[in-house]
Amino acid sequence: MTKLEEHLEGIVNIFHQYSVRTGHFDTLSKGELKQLMAKELVNLIKNAKDKATVDKTFQDLDANQDDQVDFEEFVSLLATVLKASHKNTHK
């Protein structure tokens, strides 16, 4: 596997480390998203441990409003964080 492929597989694995904890095994509940953000994105998302930040992020991600964040919805969070990280490298 290439380095990029390894990183992509790692993202999928991290998603599943949190998604299997409660409810449906392939979606994130708000609590699972909060845990993921607090442990995996704490340095990239301002106030990642703050309840209001998690609530707003969850609401924004849950495009189909089923009170779960599926992988496709989660990818939109990663795209936003990745774009911000890229922008910060040019400062």
Side-chain angles (χ1 to χ4, degrees):
M1 247 191 236
T2 68
K3 188 148 187 104
L4 180 57
E5 290 168 334
E6 288 175 4
H7 289 297
L8 294 173
E9 184 176 315
I11 290 168
V12 171
N13 289 338
I14 287 171
F15 176 84
H16 285 122
Q17 285 175 7
Y18 291 88
S19 70
V20 299
R21 295 179 181 189
T22 61
H24 192 277
F25 70 93
D26 206 25
T27 62
L28 297 169
S29 66
K30 189 183 292 185
E32 290 166 334
L33 179 66
K34 180 180 180 182
Q35 290 173 348
L36 187 153
M37 287 172 57
K39 292 189 178 172
E40 308 293 343
L41 296 171
V42 70
N43 296 308
L44 297 176
I45 295 179
K46 187 177 179 183
N47 302 319
K49 295 181 179 182
D50 178 64
K51 183 181 180 336
T53 300
V54 174
D55 288 347
K56 174 78 169 108
T57 302
F58 188 86
Q59 182 180 3
D60 292 346
L61 293 176
D62 187 16
N64 62 1
Q65 298 180 339
D66 65 352
D67 291 325
Q68 298 291 313
V69 171
D70 62 27
F71 189 75
E72 186 174 325
E73 292 166 331
F74 176 68
V75 168
S76 66
L77 172 64
L78 295 179
T80 300
V81 172
L82 188 58
K83 288 177 197 176
S85 293
H86 179 253
K87 187 176 180 180
N88 285 337
T89 64
H90 294 290
K91 287 185 178 181

Coordinates of all heavy atoms in Angstrom, one line a residue:
M1 N 0.8 -1.2 0.0 CA 0.0 0.0 0.0 C 0.9 1.3 0.0 O 1.9 1.3 0.7 CB -0.8 0.0 1.3 CG -2.3 -0.1 1.0 SD -3.2 0.2 2.5 CE -4.1 -1.3 2.7
T2 N 0.4 2.3 -0.7 CA 1.1 3.5 -0.7 C 0.8 4.2 0.7 O -0.1 3.9 1.4 CB 0.7 4.5 -1.8 OG1 -0.7 4.9 -1.6 CG2 0.8 3.8 -3.2
K3 N 1.6 5.3 0.9 CA 1.4 6.0 2.2 C 0.0 6.6 2.2 O -0.6 6.6 3.3 CB 2.5 7.1 2.3 CG 2.5 7.7 3.7 CD 3.9 8.1 4.0 CE 4.0 8.7 5.4 NZ 4.5 7.7 6.4
L4 N -0.4 7.2 1.1 CA -1.7 7.8 1.1 C -2.8 6.8 1.3 O -3.8 7.0 2.1 CB -2.0 8.5 -0.2 CG -3.3 9.2 -0.4 CD1 -3.6 10.2 0.7 CD2 -3.4 9.9 -1.8
E5 N -2.7 5.6 0.7 CA -3.7 4.5 0.9 C -3.7 4.1 2.3 O -4.8 3.8 2.9 CB -3.3 3.4 0.0 CG -3.6 3.7 -1.5 CD -3.0 2.6 -2.5 OE1 -2.0 1.9 -2.1 OE2 -3.5 2.5 -3.6
E6 N -2.5 4.0 3.0 CA -2.5 3.7 4.4 C -3.2 4.7 5.2 O -3.9 4.3 6.2 CB -1.0 3.5 4.9 CG -0.3 2.3 4.4 CD 1.2 2.3 4.7 OE1 1.6 3.2 5.5 OE2 1.9 1.4 4.3
H7 N -3.0 6.0 4.9 CA -3.7 7.0 5.7 C -5.2 6.9 5.5 O -6.0 7.1 6.5 CB -3.2 8.4 5.3 CG -1.8 8.7 5.8 ND1 -1.5 8.7 7.1 CD2 -0.7 8.9 5.1 CE1 -0.2 9.0 7.2 NE2 0.3 9.1 6.0
L8 N -5.7 6.7 4.3 CA -7.1 6.6 4.0 C -7.7 5.4 4.8 O -8.8 5.5 5.3 CB -7.3 6.4 2.5 CG -7.0 7.7 1.7 CD1 -7.1 7.4 0.2 CD2 -7.9 8.9 2.1
E9 N -7.0 4.3 4.7 CA -7.4 3.1 5.5 C -7.5 3.4 7.0 O -8.4 3.0 7.7 CB -6.5 1.9 5.3 CG -7.0 0.6 6.0 CD -6.2 -0.6 5.6 OE1 -5.8 -0.8 4.5 OE2 -5.8 -1.3 6.6
G10 N -6.5 4.2 7.5 CA -6.5 4.6 8.9 C -7.7 5.5 9.2 O -8.3 5.3 10.3
I11 N -8.1 6.3 8.3 CA -9.3 7.2 8.6 C -10.5 6.3 8.7 O -11.3 6.4 9.6 CB -9.5 8.2 7.5 CG1 -8.4 9.3 7.6 CG2 -10.9 8.8 7.5 CD1 -8.3 10.2 6.4
V12 N -10.7 5.3 7.8 CA -11.8 4.4 7.9 C -11.8 3.6 9.2 O -12.8 3.5 9.9 CB -11.8 3.4 6.7 CG1 -12.8 2.3 6.9 CG2 -12.0 4.2 5.4
N13 N -10.6 3.1 9.6 CA -10.5 2.4 10.9 C -10.8 3.2 12.1 O -11.4 2.7 13.0 CB -9.0 1.8 11.0 CG -8.8 0.7 10.0 OD1 -9.7 0.0 9.5 ND2 -7.6 0.4 9.7
I14 N -10.3 4.5 12.1 CA -10.7 5.3 13.2 C -12.2 5.6 13.3 O -12.8 5.6 14.4 CB -9.9 6.7 13.2 CG1 -8.4 6.4 13.5 CG2 -10.4 7.7 14.1 CD1 -7.5 7.5 13.3
F15 N -12.8 5.9 12.2 CA -14.3 6.0 12.1 C -14.9 4.8 12.8 O -15.8 5.0 13.7 CB -14.7 6.2 10.7 CG -16.2 6.3 10.6 CD1 -16.9 7.5 10.8 CD2 -17.0 5.1 10.3 CE1 -18.3 7.5 10.7 CE2 -18.4 5.2 10.2 CZ -19.0 6.4 10.4
H16 N -14.5 3.6 12.4 CA -15.1 2.4 12.9 C -14.8 2.1 14.4 O -15.6 1.6 15.1 CB -14.8 1.2 12.1 CG -15.5 1.2 10.8 ND1 -14.9 1.2 9.6 CD2 -16.9 1.2 10.5 CE1 -15.8 1.2 8.6 NE2 -17.0 1.2 9.2
Q17 N -13.6 2.6 14.9 CA -13.3 2.5 16.3 C -14.3 3.2 17.2 O -14.6 2.7 18.3 CB -11.9 3.1 16.6 CG -10.8 2.2 16.1 CD -9.4 2.9 16.4 OE1 -9.4 4.0 17.0 NE2 -8.4 2.3 15.8
Y18 N -14.9 4.3 16.7 CA -15.9 5.0 17.4 C -17.3 4.6 17.1 O -18.2 4.6 17.9 CB -15.7 6.5 17.2 CG -14.4 7.0 17.8 CD1 -13.2 7.0 17.2 CD2 -14.4 7.4 19.2 CE1 -12.0 7.4 17.8 CE2 -13.2 7.8 19.8 CZ -12.0 7.8 19.1 OH -10.9 8.2 19.7
S19 N -17.6 4.3 15.8 CA -18.9 4.0 15.4 C -19.5 2.7 16.0 O -20.7 2.5 16.1 CB -19.0 3.9 13.8 OG -18.4 2.8 13.3
V20 N -18.7 1.8 16.3 CA -19.1 0.5 16.8 C -19.5 0.5 18.3 O -20.0 -0.5 18.9 CB -18.1 -0.7 16.6 CG1 -17.8 -0.9 15.2 CG2 -16.8 -0.4 17.4
R21 N -19.3 1.6 19.0 CA -19.5 1.7 20.4 C -21.0 1.6 20.9 O -21.3 1.0 21.8 CB -18.8 2.9 21.0 CG -17.3 2.9 20.8 CD -16.6 4.1 21.3 NE -15.2 3.9 21.1 CZ -14.3 4.8 21.6 NH1 -14.6 5.8 22.3 NH2 -13.0 4.6 21.3
T22 N -21.8 2.4 20.2 CA -23.3 2.3 20.6 C -24.1 2.4 19.3 O -23.6 2.8 18.3 CB -23.6 3.6 21.5 OG1 -23.4 4.8 20.7 CG2 -22.9 3.6 22.8
G23 N -25.3 2.0 19.4 CA -26.2 2.1 18.3 C -25.8 1.3 17.1 O -25.1 0.3 17.2
H24 N -26.1 1.8 15.9 CA -25.7 1.2 14.6 C -24.2 1.2 14.5 O -23.5 2.2 14.8 CB -26.3 1.9 13.5 CG -26.2 1.2 12.2 ND1 -25.1 1.2 11.4 CD2 -27.1 0.3 11.6 CE1 -25.3 0.4 10.3 NE2 -26.5 -0.1 10.4
F25 N -23.6 0.0 14.1 CA -22.2 -0.1 14.0 C -21.5 0.7 13.0 O -20.3 0.9 13.0 CB -21.8 -1.6 13.8 CG -22.2 -2.1 12.4 CD1 -21.3 -2.1 11.4 CD2 -23.5 -2.6 12.1 CE1 -21.6 -2.5 10.1 CE2 -23.8 -3.0 10.8 CZ -22.9 -3.0 9.8
D26 N -22.2 1.3 12.0 CA -21.6 2.0 10.9 C -22.0 3.5 10.9 O -21.9 4.1 9.8 CB -21.9 1.3 9.6 CG -20.9 1.6 8.5 OD1 -19.7 1.8 8.9 OD2 -21.2 1.5 7.3
T27 N -22.5 4.0 12.0 CA -22.8 5.4 12.1 C -22.3 5.9 13.5 O -22.1 5.1 14.4 CB -24.3 5.7 12.0 OG1 -25.0 5.1 13.0 CG2 -24.8 5.3 10.6
L28 N -22.1 7.2 13.5 CA -21.7 7.9 14.8 C -22.9 8.5 15.4 O -23.6 9.3 14.8 CB -20.6 8.9 14.5 CG -19.3 8.5 13.9 CD1 -18.5 9.7 13.5 CD2 -18.5 7.7 14.9
S29 N -23.1 8.2 16.7 CA -24.0 9.0 17.5 C -23.4 10.3 17.9 O -22.2 10.5 17.7 CB -24.4 8.2 18.8 OG -23.3 8.1 19.6
K30 N -24.1 11.2 18.5 CA -23.5 12.4 18.9 C -22.4 12.2 20.0 O -21.4 12.8 19.9 CB -24.6 13.4 19.5 CG -24.0 14.8 19.8 CD -25.1 15.7 20.4 CE -26.2 16.0 19.5 NZ -27.2 16.9 20.0
G31 N -22.6 11.2 20.9 CA -21.6 10.9 21.9 C -20.4 10.3 21.2 O -19.2 10.6 21.7
E32 N -20.5 9.5 20.2 CA -19.4 8.9 19.6 C -18.6 10.0 18.8 O -17.4 10.0 18.8 CB -19.8 7.8 18.6 CG -20.3 6.5 19.3 CD -21.0 5.6 18.4 OE1 -21.6 6.0 17.4 OE2 -21.1 4.4 18.7
L33 N -19.3 10.9 18.2 CA -18.7 12.0 17.4 C -17.9 12.9 18.4 O -16.8 13.3 18.2 CB -19.7 12.8 16.7 CG -19.1 14.0 15.9 CD1 -18.1 13.5 14.8 CD2 -20.2 14.9 15.3
K34 N -18.5 13.1 19.6 CA -17.8 13.9 20.6 C -16.5 13.3 21.1 O -15.5 13.9 21.2 CB -18.8 14.1 21.8 CG -18.1 14.9 22.9 CD -19.1 15.1 24.1 CE -18.4 15.9 25.2 NZ -19.2 16.1 26.3
Q35 N -16.6 12.0 21.3 CA -15.4 11.2 21.7 C -14.3 11.3 20.6 O -13.1 11.5 20.9 CB -15.7 9.8 22.0 CG -16.5 9.6 23.3 CD -17.0 8.2 23.5 OE1 -16.9 7.3 22.6 NE2 -17.5 7.9 24.7
L36 N -14.7 11.1 19.4 CA -13.8 11.1 18.2 C -13.1 12.5 18.1 O -11.9 12.6 18.0 CB -14.5 10.7 17.0 CG -13.6 10.5 15.7 CD1 -14.3 9.6 14.7 CD2 -13.4 11.8 15.0
M37 N -14.0 13.5 18.2 CA -13.4 14.9 18.0 C -12.5 15.2 19.2 O -11.4 15.8 19.0 CB -14.6 15.9 18.0 CG -15.3 15.9 16.7 SD -16.8 16.9 16.7 CE -16.2 18.5 17.1
A38 N -12.9 14.8 20.4 CA -12.1 15.2 21.6 C -10.7 14.4 21.6 O -9.7 14.9 22.1 CB -12.8 14.8 22.8
K39 N -10.7 13.3 21.0 CA -9.4 12.5 21.0 C -8.6 12.5 19.7 O -7.4 12.5 19.8 CB -9.7 11.0 21.4 CG -10.2 10.9 22.8 CD -10.3 9.5 23.3 CE -10.7 9.5 24.7 NZ -11.1 8.2 25.2
E40 N -9.3 12.6 18.6 CA -8.6 12.5 17.3 C -8.4 13.8 16.6 O -7.6 13.9 15.7 CB -9.4 11.5 16.4 CG -9.7 10.2 17.0 CD -8.5 9.3 17.3 OE1 -7.4 9.6 16.7 OE2 -8.6 8.3 18.1
L41 N -9.3 14.8 16.9 CA -9.2 16.1 16.2 C -9.0 17.3 17.1 O -9.3 18.4 16.7 CB -10.5 16.3 15.4 CG -10.7 15.3 14.2 CD1 -12.1 15.4 13.6 CD2 -9.6 15.4 13.2
V42 N -8.6 17.0 18.3 CA -8.5 18.1 19.4 C -7.6 19.2 19.0 O -7.9 20.4 19.4 CB -8.2 17.5 20.7 CG1 -6.7 17.0 20.8 CG2 -8.4 18.4 21.9
N43 N -6.6 19.0 18.2 CA -5.7 20.0 17.8 C -6.1 20.7 16.5 O -5.5 21.8 16.2 CB -4.2 19.5 17.7 CG -3.7 19.0 19.0 OD1 -3.7 19.7 20.0 ND2 -3.3 17.7 19.0
L44 N -7.1 20.2 15.8 CA -7.5 20.8 14.6 C -8.8 21.5 14.6 O -9.1 22.3 13.7 CB -7.5 19.7 13.5 CG -6.1 19.1 13.2 CD1 -6.2 18.0 12.2 CD2 -5.1 20.1 12.7
I45 N -9.7 21.1 15.6 CA -11.0 21.7 15.7 C -11.0 22.6 16.9 O -10.8 22.0 18.0 CB -12.1 20.7 15.7 CG1 -12.2 19.9 14.4 CG2 -13.5 21.4 16.0 CD1 -13.2 18.9 14.3
K46 N -11.2 23.9 16.8 CA -11.3 24.8 17.9 C -12.4 24.3 18.8 O -13.5 24.1 18.3 CB -11.4 26.2 17.5 CG -11.4 27.2 18.6 CD -11.5 28.6 18.0 CE -11.4 29.6 19.2 NZ -11.6 31.0 18.7
N47 N -12.2 24.2 20.1 CA -13.2 23.8 21.1 C -13.8 22.4 20.8 O -15.0 22.2 21.0 CB -14.3 24.9 21.2 CG -13.8 26.2 21.5 OD1 -12.9 26.4 22.4 ND2 -14.3 27.3 20.9
A48 N -12.9 21.5 20.4 CA -13.4 20.2 20.0 C -14.1 19.4 21.2 O -14.9 18.5 21.0 CB -12.3 19.3 19.5
K49 N -13.8 19.8 22.4 CA -14.3 19.2 23.6 C -15.6 19.9 24.1 O -16.2 19.4 25.0 CB -13.3 19.1 24.7 CG -12.1 18.2 24.3 CD -11.1 18.1 25.4 CE -10.0 17.1 25.1 NZ -9.0 17.0 26.1
D50 N -15.9 21.0 23.5 CA -17.0 21.9 24.0 C -18.3 21.3 23.5 O -18.5 21.0 22.3 CB -16.8 23.3 23.5 CG -17.9 24.2 23.9 OD1 -18.1 24.5 25.1 OD2 -18.6 24.7 22.9
K51 N -19.3 21.2 24.4 CA -20.6 20.6 24.0 C -21.3 21.4 22.9 O -21.8 20.8 22.0 CB -21.5 20.6 25.3 CG -22.9 19.9 25.0 CD -23.8 19.9 26.2 CE -25.1 19.3 26.0 NZ -25.7 19.3 24.7
A52 N -21.2 22.7 23.0 CA -21.9 23.5 21.9 C -21.2 23.3 20.6 O -21.9 23.2 19.5 CB -21.8 25.0 22.3
T53 N -19.9 23.2 20.6 CA -19.2 22.9 19.3 C -19.6 21.6 18.7 O -19.9 21.4 17.5 CB -17.7 23.0 19.5 OG1 -17.3 24.3 20.0 CG2 -16.9 22.7 18.3
V54 N -19.6 20.6 19.6 CA -20.0 19.2 19.2 C -21.5 19.2 18.7 O -21.8 18.7 17.6 CB -19.8 18.2 20.3 CG1 -20.4 16.8 19.9 CG2 -18.4 18.1 20.7
D55 N -22.4 19.9 19.4 CA -23.8 19.9 19.0 C -23.9 20.6 17.6 O -24.6 20.1 16.7 CB -24.6 20.7 20.0 CG -24.8 19.9 21.3 OD1 -24.5 18.7 21.3 OD2 -25.3 20.5 22.3
K56 N -23.2 21.7 17.4 CA -23.3 22.4 16.1 C -22.7 21.6 15.0 O -23.3 21.5 13.9 CB -22.6 23.8 16.2 CG -22.5 24.5 15.0 CD -23.8 25.2 14.6 CE -23.6 26.2 13.4 NZ -24.1 25.8 12.2
T57 N -21.6 21.0 15.3 CA -20.9 20.1 14.3 C -21.8 19.0 13.9 O -22.0 18.7 12.7 CB -19.5 19.6 14.8 OG1 -18.7 20.8 15.1 CG2 -18.8 18.8 13.8
F58 N -22.4 18.3 14.9 CA -23.2 17.2 14.7 C -24.4 17.6 13.8 O -24.8 16.9 12.8 CB -23.7 16.6 16.0 CG -24.5 15.3 15.8 CD1 -23.8 14.1 15.7 CD2 -25.8 15.2 15.7 CE1 -24.5 12.9 15.6 CE2 -26.5 14.1 15.5 CZ -25.8 12.9 15.5
Q59 N -25.1 18.7 14.1 CA -26.2 19.2 13.4 C -25.8 19.5 11.9 O -26.6 19.2 11.0 CB -26.8 20.4 14.1 CG -28.0 21.0 13.4 CD -28.5 22.3 14.1 OE1 -27.9 22.8 15.1 NE2 -29.6 22.8 13.7
D60 N -24.7 20.1 11.8 CA -24.2 20.5 10.4 C -23.9 19.2 9.6 O -24.1 19.2 8.4 CB -23.0 21.3 10.5 CG -23.3 22.7 11.0 OD1 -24.5 23.1 11.1 OD2 -22.3 23.4 11.3
L61 N -23.4 18.2 10.2 CA -23.0 17.0 9.5 C -24.2 16.1 9.2 O -24.1 15.4 8.1 CB -22.0 16.1 10.3 CG -20.6 16.8 10.5 CD1 -19.8 15.9 11.5 CD2 -19.9 17.0 9.2
D62 N -25.2 16.0 10.0 CA -26.3 15.1 9.9 C -27.2 15.6 8.8 O -28.3 16.1 9.0 CB -27.0 15.0 11.2 CG -28.1 13.9 11.2 OD1 -28.1 13.1 10.2 OD2 -29.0 13.9 12.1
A63 N -26.8 15.5 7.5 CA -27.5 16.0 6.4 C -28.9 15.5 6.2 O -29.8 16.2 5.9 CB -26.7 15.8 5.1
N64 N -29.1 14.2 6.5 CA -30.4 13.5 6.3 C -31.2 13.6 7.6 O -32.3 13.0 7.7 CB -30.3 12.1 5.8 CG -29.5 11.2 6.8 OD1 -29.1 11.6 7.9 ND2 -29.3 10.0 6.4
Q65 N -30.7 14.2 8.6 CA -31.4 14.5 9.9 C -31.9 13.2 10.5 O -33.0 13.1 11.0 CB -32.5 15.5 9.7 CG -31.9 16.8 9.3 CD -33.0 17.9 9.1 OE1 -34.1 17.6 8.9 NE2 -32.5 19.1 9.2
D66 N -31.1 12.1 10.5 CA -31.5 10.9 11.2 C -30.9 10.7 12.6 O -30.9 9.6 13.1 CB -31.2 9.7 10.3 CG -29.7 9.5 10.1 OD1 -28.9 10.3 10.5 OD2 -29.3 8.4 9.4
D67 N -30.3 11.7 13.1 CA -29.6 11.7 14.4 C -28.4 10.8 14.5 O -28.1 10.3 15.5 CB -30.6 11.4 15.5 CG -31.6 12.5 15.8 OD1 -31.2 13.7 15.6 OD2 -32.8 12.2 16.1
Q68 N -27.8 10.5 13.3 CA -26.6 9.7 13.2 C -25.7 10.4 12.1 O -26.2 11.0 11.2 CB -26.9 8.3 12.8 CG -27.8 7.5 13.7 CD -27.0 7.2 15.0 OE1 -25.9 6.7 15.0 NE2 -27.6 7.5 16.2
V69 N -24.4 10.2 12.3 CA -23.5 10.7 11.2 C -22.9 9.4 10.6 O -22.2 8.7 11.2 CB -22.4 11.6 11.8 CG1 -21.3 11.9 10.8 CG2 -23.0 12.9 12.4
D70 N -23.2 9.2 9.3 CA -22.7 8.1 8.6 C -21.3 8.5 8.0 O -20.9 9.6 8.2 CB -23.6 7.6 7.5 CG -24.0 8.6 6.4 OD1 -23.1 9.5 6.1 OD2 -25.0 8.5 5.8
F71 N -20.7 7.5 7.4 CA -19.3 7.8 6.9 C -19.3 8.9 5.9 O -18.4 9.8 5.9 CB -18.7 6.5 6.4 CG -17.2 6.7 6.1 CD1 -16.3 6.7 7.1 CD2 -16.7 6.9 4.8 CE1 -14.9 7.0 6.8 CE2 -15.4 7.1 4.5 CZ -14.5 7.1 5.5
E72 N -20.2 8.9 5.0 CA -20.2 10.0 4.0 C -20.4 11.4 4.6 O -19.7 12.3 4.2 CB -21.4 9.7 3.0 CG -21.4 10.7 1.8 CD -22.5 10.3 0.8 OE1 -22.8 9.1 0.6 OE2 -23.0 11.3 0.2
E73 N -21.2 11.5 5.6 CA -21.4 12.7 6.3 C -20.1 13.1 7.1 O -19.7 14.3 7.1 CB -22.6 12.7 7.3 CG -23.9 12.6 6.5 CD -25.1 12.2 7.4 OE1 -24.9 11.4 8.4 OE2 -26.2 12.5 7.1
F74 N -19.5 12.1 7.7 CA -18.2 12.3 8.4 C -17.1 12.8 7.4 O -16.3 13.6 7.8 CB -17.8 11.0 9.0 CG -16.5 11.0 9.7 CD1 -16.3 11.7 10.9 CD2 -15.4 10.3 9.2 CE1 -15.0 11.7 11.5 CE2 -14.2 10.3 9.9 CZ -14.0 11.0 11.0
V75 N -17.1 12.3 6.2 CA -16.1 12.7 5.3 C -16.2 14.2 5.0 O -15.2 14.9 4.8 CB -16.2 11.9 3.9 CG1 -15.4 12.5 2.8 CG2 -15.8 10.5 4.2
S76 N -17.4 14.8 5.1 CA -17.5 16.3 4.9 C -16.8 17.0 6.0 O -16.2 18.1 5.8 CB -18.9 16.7 4.8 OG -19.6 16.5 6.0
L77 N -16.8 16.5 7.2 CA -16.0 17.1 8.3 C -14.5 17.0 8.0 O -13.8 18.0 8.2 CB -16.3 16.4 9.6 CG -15.5 16.8 10.8 CD1 -15.7 18.3 11.2 CD2 -15.8 15.9 12.0
L78 N -14.1 15.8 7.6 CA -12.7 15.7 7.3 C -12.2 16.6 6.2 O -11.1 17.2 6.2 CB -12.4 14.2 6.9 CG -12.6 13.2 7.9 CD1 -12.3 11.8 7.4 CD2 -11.8 13.5 9.2
A79 N -13.1 16.8 5.2 CA -12.7 17.7 4.1 C -12.6 19.1 4.6 O -11.6 19.8 4.2 CB -13.8 17.7 3.0
T80 N -13.4 19.6 5.5 CA -13.4 20.9 6.0 C -12.1 21.1 6.9 O -11.4 22.1 6.7 CB -14.6 21.2 6.9 OG1 -15.8 21.1 6.1 CG2 -14.5 22.6 7.5
V81 N -11.8 20.1 7.7 CA -10.6 20.1 8.5 C -9.3 20.1 7.6 O -8.4 20.8 7.9 CB -10.6 19.0 9.6 CG1 -9.3 18.9 10.3 CG2 -11.7 19.2 10.5
L82 N -9.4 19.2 6.6 CA -8.2 19.1 5.7 C -7.9 20.4 5.0 O -6.8 20.8 4.9 CB -8.4 17.9 4.8 CG -7.3 17.5 3.9 CD1 -6.0 17.2 4.7 CD2 -7.7 16.4 3.0
K83 N -9.0 21.1 4.5 CA -8.8 22.3 3.8 C -8.2 23.4 4.7 O -7.3 24.1 4.3 CB -10.2 22.8 3.3 CG -10.7 22.0 2.1 CD -12.0 22.6 1.7 CE -12.8 21.6 0.8 NZ -14.2 22.1 0.5
A84 N -8.7 23.4 6.0 CA -8.2 24.4 6.9 C -6.7 24.1 7.3 O -5.9 25.0 7.4 CB -9.0 24.4 8.2
S85 N -6.4 22.8 7.4 CA -5.0 22.5 7.7 C -4.1 22.8 6.5 O -3.0 23.3 6.7 CB -4.9 20.9 7.9 OG -5.6 20.6 9.1
H86 N -4.6 22.6 5.3 CA -3.8 23.0 4.1 C -3.5 24.5 4.1 O -2.4 25.0 3.9 CB -4.5 22.6 2.8 CG -3.8 22.9 1.6 ND1 -4.2 23.9 0.8 CD2 -2.6 22.5 1.1 CE1 -3.4 24.1 -0.2 NE2 -2.4 23.2 -0.1
K87 N -4.6 25.3 4.4 CA -4.5 26.7 4.4 C -3.5 27.2 5.4 O -2.7 28.1 5.2 CB -5.9 27.3 4.6 CG -6.0 28.8 4.5 CD -7.4 29.3 4.7 CE -7.5 30.8 4.6 NZ -8.8 31.3 4.8
N88 N -3.5 26.6 6.6 CA -2.6 26.9 7.7 C -1.2 26.7 7.3 O -0.3 27.3 7.9 CB -3.0 26.2 9.0 CG -4.2 26.8 9.6 OD1 -4.6 28.0 9.3 ND2 -4.9 26.1 10.4
T89 N -0.9 25.7 6.5 CA 0.5 25.4 6.1 C 1.1 26.5 5.3 O 2.3 26.6 5.2 CB 0.6 24.1 5.3 OG1 0.0 24.2 4.1 CG2 0.1 22.9 6.1
H90 N 0.3 27.4 4.7 CA 0.7 28.4 3.8 C 0.9 29.8 4.6 O 1.2 30.8 4.0 CB -0.2 28.6 2.6 CG -0.1 27.4 1.7 ND1 1.0 27.1 0.9 CD2 -1.0 26.5 1.5 CE1 0.8 26.1 0.2 NE2 -0.4 25.6 0.5
K91 N 0.6 29.8 5.9 CA 0.7 31.0 6.7 C 2.1 31.2 7.1 O 2.9 30.3 7.3 CB -0.2 30.9 7.9 CG -1.7 31.1 7.4 CD -2.5 31.2 8.7 CE -4.0 31.4 8.2 NZ -4.9 31.5 9.4

